[in-house]
Amino acid sequence: MDEPQLGCAVKPRPEGRFIHHWLIIIIALLTTAPAGFAQAILEGERFHPSIGHHGMVATSHNVATEVALKVLQDGGNAVDAAVTAGFALAVTQPRSGNIGGGGFMLIAKGDGSAPEAIDYRETAPAAATETMFQDESGQVNAELSRFSHLAAGVPGTVAGLALALERHGTISLKDALGPAIKLARDGFVVPRRFTEGLEQARPRLEPWPASMKAFYKRNGNAYQPGDIFRQPDLTKTLQRIAREGVAGFYEGKTARLIAAEMKNHGGLITEDDLKAYQPVVRQPVHGTYRGYDIYSMSPPSSGGTHIVQILNILEGFPIRESGHNSADNIHWMAEAMKLAYADRSQYLGDTDFVQVPLTGLTSKDYAESLRSGISKDQARPASDIRPGAPEDFESPETTHFSVVDQWGNAVSNTYTINFSYGSGITVTGAGFLLNNEMDDFSAKPGVPNAYGLIGGEANKVEAGKRMLSSMSPTIVQKDGKTFLVTGSPGGSRIITTTLQVIMNVIDHGMNIQTAVNAPRIHHQWLPDVIRIEQGISPDTVRLLESRGHSVSESSAMGAIQSIMVDEDGTLYGAGDPRRSTSSARGY
Ligand code: GLY
């Protein structure tokens, strides 16, 4: 039988544009729908999500999706599956999912309580200093913050995933590591993306013998599509964690290997830094958008704050009526994005070290004041925009995956080693790459990082501090029930990617796969340009240019892995086709 005509309850459509579609819906309601549910029909749409009734996993690698789905099918919950996926991705996608990095996880229980966040962002080592990436004349040396042993923050992934399991899981850390160990030891079939990534990253990995040993054949060639790729050193590291728990990473042999790697190459991380690392349970940022509750990551990520801020600004514009990716909508989005990224440059940092005006930045009043400065038909030059004045200072290549289980528990997780393949440096004898997350600090206030993001005093390097992030694992609830679980990689574009998928679903009534696939735009204040993906029409671009915008076509932005939950509990999963190995699977 064909896929049953099930659908998402939330399908507001621009009026008058989908009469045929609505006719089908009405017929379906009269014929097949259980009473009480608004129904939509996926038949006739261009893109189709994966459908599940008990559980759903969406990750950027099909092998990780499969092992996590198996955990759900065996009776595990969303946290069990998410942690299993997190470790599996560290094996199958070492360029971004990785135990040498850090990230953020949002967890919402099926009982409708507000989500909690686990912050396992990397920290600056104890010996880090404000000027460590500047030379004697105060010039920033980006080579140091990106491609040297100084670039690495103290990794948080192992501690963060273990904490999630300890707080909410039902399986042991050893069990969650089982599939990852098997994949590292026995190997997995190399996809084309893996080979291409290694060819691109070769100049960065080549200087480091441990990276060549871990990721290339003995003769220096990259593994080819269809080859089996095994990781013996990583296998041993994962086995130590399975045996000894987090101490298998932060103490003992793994810690000694990391500290030796640092000592031999002028890095800063010591065994004491590793032993001292602690993940933190935080309250996510909360906002509302057209009756939906938005929960996303709080500092040290800027993601949630600015998603809520931009949505607050846009709530006052007729987004739905103006049509998806119309010149009006792109104009409003770009203007709102500029204002948010200008504020980011000034105010955002690790709240354990600096005060961040979160209440002000996410307030509807502040958004209204910002919105009133947006012209209907004229772009505001970035040079005219300065960070605003939010009130209420309170007292004193990344990867994402989403999981929902049969009890309605949801996990949204984004983690990273910053660049694709991080610093390019593999810990000798331990088999995993080190992050280059220290570049997310402001090496010097006002000097942009690798993503062109400007940071201020609030994000200067300090010992033990977490560097500012854009990662935005997000859970949207409707009437206390999980509605959307989403998040993306993409550096500075994480925030705007996540934002647009939320809007595509809420404003434009798209099914989740259509919402994920739709062309995206991005503006980050500086540089003063709207980046667009292929698929925005040339006449729309001309209209934007006539309003004073610079527009430039960019390569694909983000790789958002999302799940939408219908009122009746039906699950819709969407892997982002921008990453060829993405997959969403339900059961
Ligand atoms: N390393 C990118 C981010 O955390 O935003």
Side-chain angles (χ1 to χ4, degrees):
M1 206 176 104
D2 283 344
E3 200 68 69
Q5 295 183 333
L6 300 164
C8 42
V10 189
K11 296 288 291 181
R13 291 274 182 185
E15 277 129 42
R17 293 181 56 202
F18 293 96
I19 293 167
H20 175 70
H21 191 89
W22 280 111
L23 263 178
I24 296 173
I25 291 171
I26 291 162
I27 292 164
L29 280 168
L30 292 174
T31 52
T32 61
F37 290 105
Q39 292 258 325
I41 294 174
L42 295 169
E43 207 53 51
E45 301 210 7
R46 284 193 304 140
F47 302 113
H48 293 262
S50 172
I51 295 180
H53 302 282
H54 308 289
M56 177 69 68
V57 179
T59 85
S60 54
H61 199 286
N62 52 311
V63 173
T65 299
E66 293 305 324
V67 298
L69 188 68
K70 173 93 173 40
V71 172
L72 293 184
Q73 287 169 326
D74 289 348
N77 69 19
V79 174
D80 300 330
V83 172
T84 304
F87 284 121
L89 282 165
V91 177
T92 61
Q93 201 169 271
R95 70 202 269 172
S96 50
N98 203 298
I99 57 173
F104 303 101
M105 182 182 282
L106 248 65
I107 301 165
K109 290 203 196 146
D111 63 9
S113 50
E116 80 170 29
I118 294 183
D119 162 6
Y120 57 97
R121 182 71 160 163
E122 300 91 331
T123 53
T129 63
E130 188 180 340
T131 54
M132 64 187 277
F133 299 120
Q134 299 172 24
D135 65 18
E136 277 143 25
S137 61
Q139 290 295 307
V140 169
N141 181 345
E143 196 64 24
L144 288 183
S145 65
R146 295 172 196 175
F147 305 118
S148 79
H149 284 70
L150 292 175
V154 181
T157 295
V158 172
L161 296 183
L163 181 64
L165 210 53
E166 192 185 306
R167 287 177 68 78
H168 302 291
T170 66
I171 63 173
S172 65
L173 184 61
K174 184 168 173 235
D175 286 344
L177 278 154
I181 291 172
K182 191 166 181 317
L183 286 162
R185 185 191 56 217
D186 301 344
F188 61 93
V189 179
V190 166
R192 175 162 297 283
R193 180 168 186 269
F194 189 90
T195 306
E196 287 173 358
L198 284 169
E199 290 299 7
Q200 279 164 10
R202 184 185 287 277
R204 217 145 16 98
L205 299 172
E206 217 156 32
W208 309 106
S211 296
M212 291 308 288
K213 177 173 171 243
F215 298 110
Y216 295 84
K217 294 181 181 174
R218 279 209 188 136
N219 63 5
N221 290 343
Y223 286 84
Q224 295 302 303
D227 285 351
I228 301 290
F229 176 64
R230 298 182 180 84
Q231 299 171 82
D233 285 343
L234 180 62
T235 305
K236 286 185 219 135
T237 300
L238 295 173
Q239 284 169 333
R240 281 193 291 278
I241 302 167
R243 241 184 356 255
E244 300 161 33
V246 289
F249 185 88
Y250 293 94
E251 297 174 48
K253 181 161 184 189
T254 314
R256 283 196 297 278
L257 289 170
I258 298 170
E261 180 71 36
M262 292 288 146
K263 203 164 175 204
N264 291 339
H265 298 278
L268 298 183
I269 300 174
T270 62
E271 285 187 59
D272 284 346
D273 285 321
L274 289 159
K275 202 167 173 186
Y277 183 84
Q278 287 296 333
V280 183
V281 176
R282 297 194 191 274
Q283 218 181 326
V285 171
H286 173 239
T288 60
Y289 185 63
R290 304 195 198 281
Y292 291 81
D293 286 286
I294 314 290
Y295 294 93
S296 191
M297 196 58 219
S298 43
S301 180
S302 61
T305 305
H306 296 303
I307 285 176
V308 168
Q309 182 186 12
I310 298 169
L311 287 173
N312 281 342
I313 298 171
L314 294 175
E315 202 171 34
F317 291 115
I319 301 291
R320 177 180 159 192
E321 291 73 12
S322 301
H324 179 252
N325 279 347
S326 62
D328 276 344
N329 266 341
I330 295 177
H331 169 73
W332 291 322
M333 284 196 286
E335 294 301 290
M337 288 170 185
K338 279 185 220 174
L339 294 163
Y341 279 84
D343 280 350
R344 183 190 191 280
S345 74
Q346 168 104 359
Y347 296 113
L348 269 287
D350 180 352
T351 39
D352 291 344
F353 284 72
V354 292
Q355 290 183 353
V356 177
L358 282 179
T359 306
L361 286 166
T362 57
S363 84
K364 299 274 185 201
D365 285 349
Y366 181 52
E368 197 178 323
S369 75
L370 294 177
R371 191 188 315 123
S372 66
I374 295 178
S375 151
K376 188 172 170 304
D377 50 16
Q378 201 52 49
R380 197 139 134 228
S383 53
D384 285 2
I385 296 176
R386 300 256 71 78
E391 285 176 8
D392 294 342
F393 273 82
E394 274 121 307
S395 45
E397 199 150 290
T398 308
T399 196
H400 180 88
F401 50 89
S402 299
V403 183
V404 178
D405 68 21
Q406 59 179 305
W407 301 281
N409 302 307
V411 174
S412 178
N413 187 92
T414 315
Y415 69 157
T416 187
I417 49 174
N418 199 17
F419 291 9
S420 190
Y421 301 97
S423 60
I425 299 166
T426 297
V427 178
T428 307
F432 61 87
L433 285 156
L434 287 166
N435 68 82
N436 58 348
E437 220 72 70
M438 293 293 283
D439 191 64
D440 275 352
F441 278 118
S442 308
K444 186 177 179 180
V447 175
N449 74 357
Y451 303 103
L453 290 168
I454 313 276
E457 278 285 311
N459 189 34
K460 70 182 182 195
V461 185
E462 292 180 75
K465 191 179 184 182
R466 285 156 150 87
M467 56 295 286
L468 187 58
S469 173
S470 298
M471 287 188 272
S472 312
T474 297
I475 295 177
V476 179
Q477 293 183 341
K478 178 76 178 146
D479 302 327
K481 284 166 94 175
T482 294
F483 166 66
L484 179 64
V485 186
T486 190
S488 180
S492 57
R493 292 154 306 174
I494 293 172
I495 296 171
T496 51
T497 294
T498 309
L499 172 93
Q500 285 166 87
V501 167
I502 296 170
M503 293 176 69
N504 287 349
V505 170
I506 294 178
D507 286 306
H508 302 297
M510 293 180 187
N511 80 51
I512 190 62
Q513 190 69 62
T514 307
V516 164
N517 291 11
R520 302 198 262 260
I521 69 121
H522 172 77
H523 202 307
Q524 60 180 54
W525 176 46
L526 294 171
D528 191 359
V529 60
I530 305 178
R531 283 188 250 179
I532 57 164
E533 287 185 328
Q534 201 176 42
I536 309 283
S537 73
D539 47 9
T540 304
V541 172
R542 276 198 297 278
L543 282 170
L544 289 165
E545 286 169 344
S546 73
R547 294 176 186 193
H549 292 283
S550 290
V551 183
S552 146
E553 192 170 299
S554 87
S555 51
M557 297 191 267
I560 195 157
Q561 316 297 342
S562 307
I563 300 172
M564 196 163 113
V565 189
D566 200 343
E567 269 181 25
D568 67 357
T570 307
L571 302 164
Y572 299 86
D576 195 328
R578 290 166 183 80
R579 199 168 267 188
S580 58
T581 50
S582 294
S583 85
R585 288 250 290 125
Y587 77 107

